[in-house]
């Protein structure tokens, strides 16, 4: 049974049992504390935790997931992988253990011809939480599992919670016995290699508090609505049904592994034994197969390679796959060979990987090309480091290996391989220690910034009394009733002049920041008080929280208020938001449908728009985009909004934002019908002419495969153009040429300046060269090594010192000699030290001397044994620094 057939059969079974089939959510998690969707239940967390009211009582899905916590272990065993699919069925206060358990057994054991998976009942084992007598009784009495195949397990493995106060409950897991050739008898307790877990049923029935660890917490009561969250690992079931040894041999993964093996001229043996000579090649082939599939799926969901967040994970996956192929002996580009194979393996389950493959391939191939260039530059630096280490008769330091990794992106395993070929050892322990320090810093920084686990209990309580009704689509003023005032996150009875507060209204015309549109500002007034609204946020779906300051009077918590949005600011924001849609449509016209939105932000008078594109836009292209946008504005296209169900919107061709989680009903914004049709919850002008005008400010890269344009609209666009016109007029007056000849005159002036600077550089170098001849006589003997120490005064920078220092070293001949030249550049001291071969043979190293001198100057420096440079903060210390160099050579 193919993997996509397993998924189809799962959905068919549970829809027949009254479940709503929910499409897989994006791999980009909507939970701010998660980079990716890491489990099948993640999209349903708001329903399972009662933060939101579920639109259905029963649901089923096949959710695509990514886990990267143990990415370094992928391939070393067959149990680790990054991308996987979780089949789930969920109940939100509907059925509980009495149905969830029989459902699972029925689907697993029913014959394939009758719609099941056809697993032999006598090969299935069950575990239950050790205190869950109810689940054990259902398995034993209702389902008929022999009691000897039911095992009780403790909290560590069979109790679920979020790790925080809230819902929790026992689990029951189903295991498949692979047979005695895989391990010892005795069920999952005895051997989880022979008995592999395929299905986990979580029974959310308790409220817990005082959580100190996974196993230490207090059960404080039962949940009013008990939920079911179950998950079956699709890859594990595919492994069993397809009769293969592991997930890497299933139909969605094996084709890539085989293609990689063929490219490398290797044979895959499926070994997990590190002592097996084939193990290292098998590990690399598994890494390639896993990471290529994961990269394909991440890019299809809108992730692009970058140096942070999700983009960094994708970049790491692609680069690990490429470097694994390199270590297998393939140094040319491999993604054009491997990615289409993964596409063909996955398209049965996810047709988008085929329909969107042109974009996916363009992003992936560009990243591989960039990495191959990184390897080339890193190789050059490594070769230099190898020469230096050999000259010093040392191994490659951990710091050097870390610099190669951190600065050049050069993988440690390539460093180890290439250093080994050169006969050098590498301080791998030192490298790992530095990597650990870097991860610790990143972890602490991430923890300090993370807000995903903020206490939302007070907002959940407010939401339980009803959602905030947004009236701002049709009105900018209206009455509302205060439902709560919060100060520092705590509900208070009133607020007085000067208090900074948050509050919730039963209905509001204020737009809460969402969809890239900035929040409204304005005033709240009433009997004896004036409150200025500074920001509006939506911490949980359905609740608008206004952040404000009391300007006058006292505001009671039960007040009836008059809410008034700043009209001018709202209109300017609507101009920008509609302008964003126009820019998107213009990009589609000029560049094509691949230029899809990757993010946006718009506020009064300003917009920025990120889109998928692999190269910079020419000035002509930017002008064309700007012209198309302004023609649309001039044509006064009608802007209309319609609320419809998601399927209808998709069939209409409405553009959705990658990674966005849409509900059953969506709002479609159209500009002149099909000219622009997008899903959007923001506010807009009624017709495009109300935007006035749009002026592009510039275009830039925001990560591999992504570009950004920025623009002003309305009066801000006019002011920008007026300022540029005034600047042109001023320059024309200054240079005394008409504006149409301004570019020519400026170009000629710049060329003259460059020629003058070049002549000055020539004269300065001639002066320095003349100085060099006169300085040779100032060299002193320091126990067998000549030392020439010179203060050059004002210099343009380190390049001046380098030219002078190397010239002096050459003029001093082959006798052991050291040159130390220093000077002041922009008020800061710089120093360069150069040694010849004779000095180095005498044990004098430029790097050590420059560190000493730079320390005297109040700074630091470093370099190679032959040439090194540094700097500091104290110009007056230059004579002392030069004296310290002479003394160090003399006293060596």
């Amino acid at each position: 049974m193919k993997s996509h057939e397993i998924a189809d059969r799962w959905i068919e079974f549970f829809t027949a049992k009254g479940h709503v089939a929910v499409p897989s959510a994006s791999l980009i998690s909507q939970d701010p504390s998660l980079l990716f969707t890491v489990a099948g239940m993640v999209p349903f967390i708001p329903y399972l935790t009662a933060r939101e009211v579920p639109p259905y009582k029963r649901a089923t899905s096949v959710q695509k997931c990514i886990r990267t916590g143990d990415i370094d272990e992928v391939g070393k065993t067959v149990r680790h992988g990054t991308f996987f699919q979780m089949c789930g069925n969920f109940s939100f206060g509907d059925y509980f253990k009495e149905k969830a358990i029989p459902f699972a057994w029925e689907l697993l054991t029913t014959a394939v011809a009758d719609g099941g998976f056809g697993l032999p009942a006598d090969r299935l084992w069950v575990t239950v939480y050790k205190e869950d007598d109810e689940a054990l009784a259902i398995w034993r009495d209702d389902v008929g599992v022999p009691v000897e195949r039911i095992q009780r397990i403790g909290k560590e493995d069979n109790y679920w919670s979020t790790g925080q106060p809230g819902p929790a409950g026992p689990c029951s897991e189903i295991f498949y016995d692979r047979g005695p050739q895989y391990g010892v008898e005795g069920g999952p307790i005895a051997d989880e290699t022979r008995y592999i877990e395929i299905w986990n049923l979580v029974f959310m029935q308790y409220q817990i508090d005082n959580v100190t660890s996974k196993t230490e917490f207090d059960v404080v009561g039962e949940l009013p609505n008990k939920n079911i969250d179950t998950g079956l690992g699709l890859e594990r079931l595919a492994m069993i049904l397809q009769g293969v040894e592991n997930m890497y041999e299933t139909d969605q993964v094996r084709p890539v592994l085989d293609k990689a093996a063929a490219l490398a001229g290797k044979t895959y043996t499926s070994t997990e034994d590190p002592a097996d000579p084939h193990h290292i090649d098998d590990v690399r082939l598994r890494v390639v197969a896993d990471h290529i599939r994961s990269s394909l799926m991440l890019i299809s969901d809108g992730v692009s390679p970058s140096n942070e967040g999700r983009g960094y994970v994708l970049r790491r996956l692609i680069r690990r796959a490429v470097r694994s192929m390199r270590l297998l002996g393939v140094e040319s580009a491999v993604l054009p060979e491997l990615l289409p194979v993964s596409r063909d393996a996955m398209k049965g389950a996810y047709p988008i990987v085929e329909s969107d493959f042109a974009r996916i391939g363009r992003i992936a191939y560009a990243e591989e090309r960039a990495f191959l260039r990184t390897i080339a530059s890193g190789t050059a630096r490594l070769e230099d480091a190898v020469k230096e280490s050999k000259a010093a008769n040392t191994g490659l330091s951990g710091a050097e290996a870390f610099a190669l990794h951190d600065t050049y992106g050069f993988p440690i395993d390539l460093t180890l391989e290439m250093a080994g070929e050169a006969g050098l050892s590498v301080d791998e322990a030192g490298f790992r220690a530095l990597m650990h320090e870097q991860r610790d810093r990143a972890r602490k920084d991430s923890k300090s910034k993370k807000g995903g686990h903020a206490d939302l209990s007070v907002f959940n309580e407010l939401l339980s009394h009803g959602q905030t009704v947004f009236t701002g689509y049709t009105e900018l003023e209206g009455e509302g009733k205060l439902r709560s005032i919060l100060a520092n996150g705590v509900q208070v009875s009133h607020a007085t002049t000067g208090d900074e507060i948050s509050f919730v209204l039963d209905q509001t015309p204020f737009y809460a920041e969402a969809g890239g549109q900035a929040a409204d500002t304005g005033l709240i007034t009433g009997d004896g008080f004036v409150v200025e609204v500074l920001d509006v946020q939506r911490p949980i779906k359905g609740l608008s929280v206004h952040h404000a300051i009391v300007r006058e009077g006292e505001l009671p918590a039960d007040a009836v208020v008059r809410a008034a949005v700043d009209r001018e600011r709202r209109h300017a924001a609507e101009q920008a938001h509609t302008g964003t849609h126009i820019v998107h449509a213009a990009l589609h016209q000029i560049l094509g449908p691949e230029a899809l939105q990757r993010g946006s932000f718009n506020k009064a008078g300003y917009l920025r728009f990120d889109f998928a594109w692999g190269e910079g836009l020419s000035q002509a292209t930017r002008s064309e985009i700007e012209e198309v946008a302004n023609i649309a504005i001039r044509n006064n296209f009608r802007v209309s909004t319609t609320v419809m169900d998601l399927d209808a919107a998709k069939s209409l061709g409405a553009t959705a934002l990658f990674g966005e989680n849409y509900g059953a009903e969506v709002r479609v914004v159209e500009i002149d019908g099909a000219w622009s049709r997008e899903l959007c919850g923001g506010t807009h002008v009624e017709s495009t002419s109300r935007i006035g005008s749009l002026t592009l400010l510039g275009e830039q890269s925001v990560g591999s495969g992504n570009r950004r344009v920025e623009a002003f609209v309305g009066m801000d666009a006019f002011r920008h153009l007026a300022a540029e016109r005034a600047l042109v007029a001023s320059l024309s007056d200054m240079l005394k040429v008409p504006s149409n000849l301004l570019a020519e005159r400026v170009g000629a002036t710049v060329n003259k300046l460059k020629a003058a600077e070049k002549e000055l550089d020539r004269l300065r170098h001639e002066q320095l060269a003349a100085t060099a001849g006169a300085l040779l006589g100032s060299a002193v003997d320091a126990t067998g090594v000549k030392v020439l120490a010179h203060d050059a005064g004002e210099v343009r920078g380190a390049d001046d010192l380098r030219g002078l220092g190397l010239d002096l070293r050459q003029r001093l001949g082959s006798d052991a000699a050291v040159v130390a030249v220093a000077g002041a550049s922009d008020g800061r001291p710089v120093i360069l030290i150069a040694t010849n071969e004779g000095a180095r043979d005498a044990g004098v190293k430029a790097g050590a001397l420059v560190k000493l001198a730079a320390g005297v100057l109040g700074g630091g420096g470093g370099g190679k044994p032959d040439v090194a440079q540094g700097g500091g903060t104290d110009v007056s210390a230059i004579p002392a620094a030069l004296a310290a160099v002479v003394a160090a050579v003399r006293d060596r």
Side-chain angles (χ1 to χ4, degrees):
M1 190 180 296
K2 298 291 187 183
S3 294
H4 74 269
E5 293 171 333
I6 294 172
D8 291 345
R9 187 161 294 220
W10 177 277
I11 296 296
E12 289 167 3
F13 176 86
F14 280 105
T15 52
K17 300 293 186 183
H19 294 65
V20 174
V22 179
S24 173
S26 170
L27 287 169
I28 302 173
S29 174
Q30 296 302 303
D31 185 333
S33 67
L34 297 172
L35 282 179
F36 299 112
T37 301
V38 296
M41 53 82 74
V42 168
F44 301 100
I45 286 176
Y47 310 145
L48 294 168
T49 58
R51 292 210 309 264
E52 296 179 20
V53 177
Y56 28 68
K57 287 290 188 180
R58 302 181 180 191
T60 185
S61 69
V62 177
Q63 176 62 49
K64 49 193 175 183
C65 305
I66 286 276
R67 290 182 187 170
T68 58
D70 52 3
I71 190 172
D72 291 320
E73 298 303 312
V74 170
K76 294 178 182 177
T77 74
V78 297
R79 292 177 294 282
H80 290 91
T82 49
F83 176 85
F84 62 97
Q85 298 153 95
M86 189 62 72
C87 304
N89 60 286
F90 306 89
S91 167
F92 311 110
D94 188 9
Y95 63 83
F96 203 50
K97 299 176 189 177
E98 78 290 341
K99 288 187 177 177
I101 291 173
F103 282 163
W105 190 260
E106 180 184 350
L107 178 54
L108 287 177
T109 59
T110 296
V112 171
D114 296 325
F117 292 128
L119 297 183
D122 60 358
R123 298 189 75 165
L124 297 178
W125 288 64
V126 173
T127 64
V128 298
Y129 175 54
K130 63 182 180 180
E131 298 176 10
D132 191 358
D133 295 333
E134 180 185 9
L136 188 147
I138 294 171
W139 281 116
R140 182 191 62 211
D141 302 334
D142 298 350
V143 175
V145 177
V147 70
E148 61 270 18
R149 293 213 309 274
I150 305 173
Q151 297 182 327
R152 294 180 183 263
I153 305 289
K155 286 181 181 176
E156 185 66 34
D157 294 311
N158 273 52
Y159 208 96
W160 176 88
S161 77
T162 63
Q164 302 176 75
C171 307
S172 181
E173 297 175 330
I174 305 173
F175 292 77
Y176 181 80
D177 180 4
R178 303 173 72 192
Q181 67 271 34
Y182 293 97
V184 300
E185 294 184 6
I189 289 178
D191 190 337
E192 287 197 16
T193 298
R194 170 175 172 173
Y195 303 88
I196 63 167
E197 177 197 341
I198 55 174
W199 198 325
N200 184 22
L201 301 95
V202 176
F203 310 125
M204 294 187 196
Q205 62 186 113
Y206 298 117
Q207 183 81 21
I208 63 172
D209 204 349
N210 302 322
V211 181
T212 58
S213 71
K214 180 176 173 62
T215 59
E216 299 294 327
F217 51 80
D218 295 332
V219 176
V220 295
E222 291 208 348
L223 294 172
N225 291 316
K226 298 176 181 178
N227 299 323
I228 289 292
D229 157 27
T230 81
L232 173 139
L234 189 149
E235 281 78 8
R236 290 193 179 186
L237 184 60
M239 183 182 78
I240 294 168
L241 296 180
Q242 293 172 17
V244 297
E245 291 296 310
N246 55 66
M247 63 167 281
Y248 288 93
E249 299 178 12
T250 58
D251 63 303
Q252 289 183 340
V253 186
R254 184 64 189 251
V256 179
L257 191 153
D258 287 341
K259 182 66 174 179
L263 290 173
K266 304 289 185 180
T267 301
Y268 180 68
T269 65
S270 194
T271 181
E272 293 184 69
D273 181 6
D276 190 309
H278 295 97
H279 181 254
I280 189 64
D281 285 345
D282 280 5
V283 168
R284 290 166 180 164
L285 289 168
R286 287 193 285 259
V287 167
V288 172
D290 174 88
H291 289 5
I292 292 293
R293 180 168 77 144
S294 299
S295 299
L296 172 80
M297 300 308 298
L298 282 170
I299 299 173
S300 75
D301 267 7
V303 181
S304 293
S306 68
N307 286 329
E308 59 184 11
R310 301 180 183 96
Y312 177 72
V313 172
L314 172 59
R315 171 161 287 167
R316 190 176 178 206
L317 290 170
I318 291 174
R319 293 186 169 195
R320 277 173 58 89
V322 171
R323 77 177 187 239
S324 293
M325 289 300 294
R326 182 185 174 93
L327 291 170
L328 287 164
V330 183
E331 297 190 4
S332 58
V334 294
L335 261 61
E337 297 284 347
L338 298 175
L339 202 66
V341 176
S342 188
R343 171 201 62 198
D344 294 342
M346 298 301 294
K347 67 184 182 183
Y350 304 99
I352 191 174
V353 301
E354 181 175 39
S355 62
D356 198 24
F357 190 73
R359 181 188 66 84
I360 295 169
R362 177 169 51 78
I363 291 172
Y365 302 159
E367 178 63 19
E368 181 179 30
R369 288 194 297 270
F371 184 49
L372 291 176
R373 289 194 296 269
T374 292
I375 289 177
S377 62
T379 298
R381 178 67 190 98
L382 177 61
E383 288 172 351
D384 287 343
V386 167
K387 290 177 184 176
E388 293 170 17
S389 297
K390 281 190 169 182
N393 198 27
T394 63
L396 200 67
S397 70
E400 187 66 61
F402 178 77
L404 280 162
H405 166 83
D406 199 46
T407 305
Y408 295 90
F410 205 70
I412 182 62
D413 42 11
L414 283 183
T415 298
L416 291 169
E417 176 194 34
M418 294 176 66
E421 290 172 354
L424 279 183
S425 62
V426 178
D427 180 9
E428 192 175 355
F431 169 82
R432 302 292 178 195
L434 290 168
M435 284 293 294
H436 182 71
E437 288 177 16
Q438 185 186 61
R439 289 194 185 107
D440 275 351
R441 288 193 299 271
R443 193 177 297 115
K444 289 173 183 175
D445 182 55
S446 174
K447 188 176 181 180
S448 70
K449 294 178 181 177
K450 186 181 292 184
H453 293 299
D455 184 8
L456 300 178
S457 58
V458 64
F459 298 129
N460 288 324
E461 180 186 343
L462 290 171
L463 185 62
S464 68
H465 299 295
Q467 297 189 9
T468 303
V469 177
F470 177 59
T471 61
Y473 287 132
T474 57
E475 62 182 43
L476 296 183
E477 292 189 25
E479 283 196 349
K481 189 176 188 305
L482 271 175
R483 288 173 44 196
S484 177
I485 301 175
L486 296 96
N488 297 318
V490 178
Q491 293 194 65
V492 295
S493 61
H494 66 281
T496 59
T497 302
D499 287 349
E500 295 183 15
I501 59 170
S502 300
F503 63 86
V504 175
L505 298 173
D506 61 345
Q507 59 180 20
T508 181
F510 284 86
Y511 183 82
E513 181 177 344
Q517 181 175 334
D520 285 333
T521 61
L523 294 177
I524 298 286
T525 57
D527 187 10
F529 57 80
V530 176
V531 179
E532 182 182 1
V533 177
L534 306 174
D535 188 22
V536 188
Q537 295 293 322
R538 193 177 297 150
I540 57 176
K541 187 177 180 181
L543 199 71
S544 292
V545 179
H546 306 66
H547 302 287
I549 185 167
V550 182
R551 295 300 184 190
E552 297 178 17
E554 181 175 300
L555 177 68
D558 60 352
V560 175
V561 305
R562 183 76 181 172
V565 172
D566 183 329
R567 290 176 178 272
E568 185 174 341
R569 177 185 167 94
R570 164 68 82 84
H571 176 61
E574 290 175 341
Q575 290 176 309
H577 201 157
T578 307
T580 302
H581 287 227
I582 287 176
V583 168
H584 197 187
L587 287 165
H588 280 193
Q589 276 194 33
I590 306 303
L591 302 180
E594 289 184 13
L596 283 171
Q597 181 174 355
R598 285 290 176 268
S600 66
F601 175 72
N602 44 81
K603 63 179 182 177
Y606 166 86
L607 69 88
R608 71 167 183 252
F609 186 84
D610 297 347
F611 60 99
W613 200 250
E615 57 190 12
L617 305 183
S618 67
Q619 181 59 52
T621 301
R622 295 201 297 270
S623 296
E624 193 175 359
I625 292 166
E626 189 175 61
E627 182 175 347
V628 168
N630 280 290
I631 289 173
I633 292 170
R634 183 202 65 187
N635 287 343
N636 197 25
F637 289 150
R638 179 171 175 266
V639 181
S640 62
T641 60
T642 309
V643 176
M644 62 182 72
D645 66 68
L646 182 58
D647 290 337
K650 287 181 177 178
S651 65
L652 199 61
T655 301
L657 181 63
F658 271 112
E660 194 69 39
N661 189 20
Y662 297 101
E665 280 198 338
V666 293
R667 192 166 175 267
V668 179
V669 176
E670 294 179 311
I671 300 175
D672 193 35
W675 190 84
S676 169
R677 185 176 282 142
E678 299 190 33
L679 304 186
C680 180
T683 66
H684 294 271
V685 295
E686 296 173 355
S687 61
T688 56
S689 64
R690 299 199 66 190
I691 295 173
S693 64
L694 184 148
T695 300
L696 288 183
L697 303 178
E699 181 266 349
Q700 60 184 307
S701 170
V702 284
S704 179
N706 287 307
R707 310 295 298 181
R708 169 176 293 172
V709 292
E710 297 177 280
F712 283 144
V713 297
M715 286 302 297
D716 289 83
F718 170 78
R719 294 185 188 106
H720 175 73
L721 292 174
E724 287 200 334
R725 182 178 60 191
L727 177 62
V728 169
S730 176
L731 290 172
S732 294
D733 289 343
M734 187 183 304
L735 296 173
K736 303 197 182 314
V737 293
S739 60
N740 62 321
L741 298 178
L742 188 58
E744 183 180 335
R745 175 61 64 85
V746 170
T749 303
V750 168
N751 288 335
K752 286 181 180 178
L753 286 172
K754 287 181 178 177
E757 287 179 353
K758 190 174 182 180
E759 178 63 14
L760 285 172
D761 280 342
R762 185 186 66 79
L763 291 172
R764 187 172 56 255
H765 284 113
E766 286 180 359
Q767 184 180 12
L768 287 172
T771 303
L775 288 174
L776 293 177
S778 64
V780 299
D781 181 75
T783 58
V785 176
K786 288 181 181 178
V787 181
L788 196 165
H790 173 59
D791 182 350
E794 287 291 330
V795 294
R796 286 193 68 181
D799 285 346
D800 278 359
L801 292 183
R802 178 176 288 269
L804 178 60
L806 296 182
D807 186 21
L808 288 169
R809 182 179 66 176
Q810 182 181 5
R811 290 170 182 253
L812 285 170
S814 60
D815 292 340
V818 176
V819 175
V821 288
S825 175
D826 294 329
R828 298 177 69 89
V830 288
I831 187 166
L832 179 130
I833 296 178
T835 63
N836 64 11
E837 188 174 353
R840 292 192 294 276
D841 290 342
V844 180
K845 303 292 173 64
L849 290 176
V850 90
K851 287 180 181 177
L852 170 67
V856 176
L857 296 171
K864 302 176 184 178
D866 58 338
V867 181
Q869 67 185 50
T873 58
D874 185 2
V875 173
S876 67
I878 287 178
L882 294 172
V885 171
V886 176
V889 177
R890 181 181 295 118
D891 299 338
R892 67 187 186 281

